[in-house]
Amino acid sequence: MRHDHITSAKQLSRGDIERVLEHASDIADDPSAYADRHEEALLGLLFFEPSTRTKMSFAAAIKRLGGDVVDMGPVDASSVKKGESLADTVRVVEGYADALVLRHPSEGSAQMASEFVTVPLINAGDGAGQHPTQTLLDMYTIRENAGLDDLTIGIMGDLKYGRTVHSLAHALTNFDTRQHFISPETLKLPRNVRFDLHESGSTVKEHTKPGGILPSLDVLYVTRIQKERFPDESEYRAVAGEYQIDASTLTRADDDLTVMHPLPRVDEIAHDVDNTGHAAYFQQAHNGVPVRMALLDLVLGGEP
Ligand code: NCD
């Protein structure tokens, strides 16, 4: 993975995923051993969309490896406001940093931008496209809680616009998993993602309600309805509020069910789930640091 761009979960083989997760687990066991690993490294942060977890955990990760960030800051305070193109922006910023992290509202933007730079470019979310580093921390969390083989997972919510879902679904096809997709008709998986999943030979089923499948799940991965990506707000209002999970819903689930969410949540998971043994979403968010440390170490050329 040395010097590779990481733009899609589709490019990650089972071996790549296992290498990152193993390395992340070594780092989590003894983070101080990596504190001066990349002392000179600068990570360029280019966030054209809001972010809390992804941006801050990338910053924490490079700092915990001994490096630092150079951050474009808010779009309104950058030259993007003057009309600078994304291609020009990344070509400039690659001169200031050893790797770039890009979040952008346009699907395909990370792939396009990566063609203009030689330093590794990591996709931190491209519109409704992909979010491969979220997937790596999701897989790390699944592995910790349920294991990655012989896994039955339900992925629920906004499957159409949810980039975390698209990336995770692809990555899971490398493992022995049964994937159940639960959403309203209007928010089903995009056709191209469904096609890829079927091509991979994986077990994939689609449902419009969680009830029937809930008792058989090892993991339930809940996502936010992405209001900002709906072309028409009335379409959003027609489905918002459906597919909510609370502690009483989970009485029908297996005692060992792990509930995950990439966060931010709005009202998909009630707060009464937080204190049950099912909730893994804060642990999942925290796992972003060791997993991103591992990935940065590998793309910047560290030896695991
Ligand atoms: C997600 C994203 O930005 O795609 N958040 C994240 O990175 N943890 C999910 C979302 O915004 O709903």
Side-chain angles (χ1 to χ4, degrees):
M1 300 179 97
R2 192 161 192 257
H3 303 323
D4 279 353
H5 301 306
I6 309 290
T7 56
S8 167
K10 281 202 252 184
Q11 80 189 74
L12 301 173
S13 66
R14 180 175 175 132
D16 293 332
I17 295 166
E18 285 174 337
R19 194 167 323 125
V20 176
L21 303 193
E22 284 301 321
H23 195 33
S25 138
D26 289 343
I27 291 173
D29 286 346
D30 187 10
S32 58
Y34 298 84
D36 53 6
R37 186 88 155 183
H38 291 284
E39 265 183 334
E40 304 295 320
L42 287 178
L43 186 63
L45 300 180
L46 297 149
F47 279 71
F48 291 76
E49 273 191 346
S51 175
T52 301
R53 277 149 290 276
T54 306
K55 185 170 174 178
M56 292 185 76
S57 65
F58 262 115
I62 192 68
K63 290 181 186 197
R64 295 227 183 262
L65 291 167
D68 208 340
V69 294
V70 276
D71 183 354
M72 182 182 79
V75 171
D76 279 356
S78 75
S79 285
V80 175
K81 196 73 184 160
K82 302 179 189 168
E84 187 164 51
S85 70
L86 178 59
D88 279 1
T89 302
V90 292
R91 270 185 289 196
V92 168
V93 179
E94 82 161 331
Y96 309 151
D98 302 289
L100 303 179
V101 178
L102 173 69
R103 170 170 287 187
H104 195 278
S106 305
E107 193 167 337
S109 53
Q111 179 57 40
M112 184 280 282
S114 74
E115 287 160 20
F116 288 90
V117 294
T118 52
V119 301
L121 184 142
I122 301 173
N123 180 6
D126 60 323
Q130 288 271 316
H131 194 348
T133 67
Q134 177 70 39
T135 291
L136 289 166
L137 72 92
D138 292 343
M139 308 273 284
Y140 185 86
T141 309
I142 294 170
R143 196 170 76 149
E144 277 185 323
N145 288 277
L148 273 168
D149 274 314
D150 193 21
L151 172 79
T152 305
I153 184 169
I155 303 182
M156 183 168 90
D158 185 348
L159 311 182
K160 182 175 179 185
Y161 298 109
R163 55 196 175 198
T164 67
V165 171
H166 306 158
S167 285
L168 180 61
H170 279 123
L172 286 171
T173 63
N174 291 293
F175 296 83
D176 174 17
T177 54
R178 291 164 293 281
Q179 301 195 54
H180 294 272
F181 294 95
I182 309 151
S183 72
E185 279 296 328
T186 49
L187 292 179
K188 280 170 73 169
L189 280 178
R191 203 177 321 165
N192 63 324
V193 177
R194 210 172 326 139
F195 177 80
D196 288 345
L197 297 184
H198 284 294
E199 284 284 284
S200 74
S202 309
T203 308
V204 170
K205 296 222 166 76
E206 295 183 284
H207 311 261
T208 52
K209 290 277 177 288
I213 194 67
L214 186 64
S216 69
L217 300 179
D218 301 310
V219 172
L220 177 62
Y221 187 97
V222 184
T223 63
R224 181 175 68 88
I225 306 288
Q226 306 212 7
K227 186 178 172 186
E228 71 275 22
R229 303 204 196 284
F230 277 72
D232 172 2
E233 178 147 359
S234 66
E235 208 190 308
Y236 163 73
R237 278 198 302 269
V239 291
E242 287 186 61
Y243 305 91
Q244 286 171 348
I245 290 293
D246 60 20
S248 73
T249 326
L250 295 178
T251 55
R252 285 181 281 128
D254 193 274
D255 287 347
D256 290 333
L257 173 76
T258 300
V259 177
M260 295 173 59
H261 191 306
L263 303 179
R265 73 172 148 183
V266 184
D267 50 12
E268 315 77 50
I269 302 180
H271 290 274
D272 64 2
V273 179
D274 299 358
N275 296 323
T276 69
H278 298 295
Y281 27 92
F282 292 111
Q283 173 199 355
Q284 181 185 354
H286 296 163
N287 286 338
V289 177
V291 171
R292 292 187 166 114
M293 285 173 78
L295 183 71
L296 288 172
D297 189 28
L298 292 169
V299 299
L300 291 170
E303 291 299 319

